[in-house]
């Protein structure tokens, strides 16, 4: 689940803003965007490689920041 997830490289380069959605176990999801519009950044957040600027990515009821990369 994503709750008001925002990611910015700096104040002028916000690439994801207030993104909210829920993916149920077993669902398949495609993520696509134009170059430079945040798809790779979102995947990096979901993989635990980056942290959002604000909001949260939730897995198993816990913010991904509480999981180890190996556990994700």
């Amino acid at each position: 689940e994503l709750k008001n997830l925002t990611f910015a490289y700096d104040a002028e380069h916000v690439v994801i803003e207030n993104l909210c959605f829920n993916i149920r176990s077993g669902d398949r999801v495609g993520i696509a965007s134009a170059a430079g519009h945040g798809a790779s950044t979102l995947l990096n957040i979901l993989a635990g490689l980056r942290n959002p600027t604000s909001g949260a990515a939730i897995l198993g009821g816990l913010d991904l920041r509480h999981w180890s990369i190996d556990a994700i």
Side-chain angles (χ1 to χ4, degrees):
E1 177 180 9
L2 299 184
K3 292 184 176 182
N4 299 316
L5 189 125
T6 296
F7 182 86
Y9 290 101
D10 58 48
E12 295 181 14
H13 296 97
V14 177
V15 292
I16 300 170
E17 188 170 14
N18 294 320
L19 183 61
C20 299
F21 64 82
N22 190 15
I23 302 169
R24 294 175 299 202
S25 179
D27 284 354
R28 293 181 185 200
V29 176
I31 297 172
S33 71
H37 285 86
S40 295
T41 300
L42 177 58
L43 292 174
N44 285 329
I45 291 169
L46 295 175
L49 302 174
R50 288 195 175 273
N51 289 320
T53 305
S54 64
I58 308 294
L59 177 64
L62 293 173
D63 190 309
L64 282 179
R65 290 173 276 217
H66 297 289
W67 291 82
S68 70
I69 290 176
D70 293 335
I72 295 171

